Amino acid sequence: MLVGVFMSFVVPKLLDIDNYGYWQLFIFYATYAGIFCLGLNDGVYLINGGVTRDSIDRSAISAQYRVLTVMQSFMCIAVQVAAVIFISDSNRVFVICLVGLYFIVNNLCSYLGYTFQAMNETKLFSYATVLDRLTLFVLLITLLLLKVDDYCYYIISYLISKTVSLLWSVWKARDILACRTMALSQGIKESVNSIRVGFSLMIANLADMLLLGVGRFMVDLLWGISAFGKVSFAMSIINFAINFVSQASMVLFPALRQEGEASLTKLYQFLRDSLDLLLPILYLVYFPARWILSIWLPNYVDSIFYLAVLMPVCVYNAKMNIVSATYCKVLRKERQLLGINLAAVLLCAVLSVSGILLAGSLDAVLLAAVFCVALRSAVSERWMDNLQGVSHSNIGVANALITTVFLMEVYFTSNSVVQIAAVALLYIAVLIINRNTAASFIFQIKRLIR
């Protein structure tokens, strides 16, 4: 969280908009690193979820790690050669070449992280993440003190921090990785099987990222690196919040795999309704955040407006990742999740292109993404309700109303007092109407604390 705040609010203070744009371009491309695993990491995660370290097939895990290392090395070389041949902008070539290196380090680290989580050793994954973020934080502070305003050093720092995390993870998994009883040919077979199992989930995750990625690609293509930097500033804050909240889904998966059917249904209702009550608070958080950001980063006034437009993405994506996506993994419904995500991406692409052709507006691209994210969340929740055999929640409808009011205020009302009052009163009304659900949530939280 600390590093997310620093990257979102301090780095833009040091870099001009173009340098910040290239820094965000690297972060943007880096988020797609997992695609180059072809689903292998996801397959290992799904196949071994809930298995302990003592009973996991160490030779299979070790062999697949070696196969992944070779795969990522070839991917890295291919990306770098393509960048040098087809791209004339030296800044973009540099960014993409370092993205290629990041693919190797990140995906190997991710493989071990998924393995730790599958074995329900979440603490090891957490420690690796903390080490990664802490190293990056120290490096960023150093760049801040030295007043470095070149994006290249920030990208290199990002690579170094991930490499430190990888080395630590390898050390903690040394007993597994040292197992070499399986032949390479058998390791390739195991890897192909993991890819087969995890490919649908990987494509579903890719489609999830492309919901926002399509718009960002179009912004970079049509409006240039400066506009991309401004939109990416807002998106970095949104992604920071989503990633922070969605870490819960990584912890939930191995735990839910061990629950019975009745418990899964009960927990599903609790998670769904609790998030419906909690997440709209983010709309209220926006108003003081806007005031602070306008003082701290006066050059990013447009970005602060884009942040408001994208706030519903934070609300609906967080809920989707924690509830529907997690339950799809637990129930092995990856293909259904894939279908929902692909449909949302296709709709988003169509609406974005239509908005560009008809209005030539960047706002149209962002609103298309917001609409598709919210629609995907509603459709997946309705489908999961039917699958779990539970009644549909009315709180979701109330949240859609709060979202609509919030966006209308952003576009048509400039009075901050009116904006805050309208959203707050509507949210309080939702809490009063659903006071029994709110009371149940508070009771459960008190039990956990005790």
Side-chain angles (χ1 to χ4, degrees), residues 194-241:
S194 293
I195 290 172
R196 181 183 59 80
V197 172
F199 189 76
S200 294
L201 180 57
M202 185 272 292
I203 296 295
N205 291 335
L206 171 61
D208 179 28
M209 292 186 291
L210 283 175
L211 263 177
L212 300 178
V214 165
R216 294 179 75 182
F217 276 120
M218 290 183 177
V219 170
D220 183 33
L221 181 65
L222 298 176
W223 285 281
I225 197 67
S226 295
F228 179 84
K230 292 177 180 179
V231 172
S232 293
F233 171 78
M235 195 60 73
S236 69
I237 298 174
I238 295 296
N239 285 333
F240 153 63

Side-chain angles (χ1 to χ4, degrees), residues 116-326:
F116 292 147
Q117 290 175 87
M119 297 186 299
N120 212 10
E121 296 182 1
T122 309
K123 282 187 177 181
L124 292 181
F125 170 75
S126 299
Y127 292 153
T129 303
V130 168
L131 186 59
D132 174 10
R133 301 291 89 183
L134 185 60
T135 303
L136 179 58
F137 183 68
V138 171
L139 292 173
L140 290 178
I141 287 291
T142 303
L143 294 174
L144 168 64
L145 295 176
L146 295 175
K147 297 182 179 181
V148 176
D149 58 359
D150 187 340
Y151 74 91
C152 299
Y153 295 99
Y154 291 85
I155 294 177
I156 293 169
S157 298
Y158 207 85
L159 276 171
I160 291 173
S161 65
K162 185 62 69 174
T163 302
V164 171
S165 179
L166 171 61
L167 294 174
W168 187 88
S169 298
V170 168
W171 176 254
K172 288 298 179 181
R174 62 189 184 279
D175 57 321
I176 297 175
L177 298 180
C179 184
R180 299 292 184 96
T181 58
M182 183 177 288
L184 181 61
S185 58
Q186 185 61 31
I188 294 174
K189 290 181 180 179
E190 290 285 342
S191 299
V192 170
N193 181 58
S194 293
I195 290 172
R196 181 183 59 80
V197 172
F199 189 76
S200 294
L201 180 57
M202 185 272 292
I203 296 295
N205 291 335
L206 171 61
D208 179 28
M209 292 186 291
L210 283 175
L211 263 177
L212 300 178
V214 165
R216 294 179 75 182
F217 276 120
M218 290 183 177
V219 170
D220 183 33
L221 181 65
L222 298 176
W223 285 281
I225 197 67
S226 295
F228 179 84
K230 292 177 180 179
V231 172
S232 293
F233 171 78
M235 195 60 73
S236 69
I237 298 174
I238 295 296
N239 285 333
F240 153 63
I242 291 173
N243 292 335
F244 185 69
V245 173
S246 297
Q247 289 303 311
S249 65
M250 305 300 288
V251 180
L252 278 172
F253 172 71
L256 291 175
R257 280 286 293 266
Q258 300 175 25
E259 295 290 338
E261 186 174 338
S263 295
L264 283 176
T265 301
K266 187 176 180 180
L267 285 167
Y268 169 77
Q269 287 182 287
F270 174 73
L271 287 170
R272 181 198 65 184
D273 295 343
S274 298
L275 289 174
D276 272 337
L277 289 176
L278 287 174
L279 288 174
I281 294 175
L282 292 173
Y283 294 134
L284 294 173
V285 171
Y286 165 76
F287 296 108
R290 177 180 64 184
W291 177 72
I292 295 170
L293 287 173
S294 64
I295 297 173
W296 178 248
L297 297 168
N299 293 332
Y300 287 83
V301 174
D302 292 341
S303 299
I304 296 170
F305 172 75
Y306 298 145
L307 175 61
V309 177
L310 292 169
M311 281 300 292
V313 171
C314 188
V315 172
Y316 286 102
N317 241 5
K319 183 183 177 185
M320 174 76 185
N321 289 340
I322 293 176
V323 183
S324 298
T326 300

Side-chain angles (χ1 to χ4, degrees), residues 15 19 22-23 91-92 94-95 149-155:
L15 302 178
N19 269 279
Y22 285 117
W23 158 244
N91 285 308
R92 289 180 183 268
F94 177 81
V95 167
D149 58 359
D150 187 340
Y151 74 91
C152 299
Y153 295 99
Y154 291 85
I155 294 177

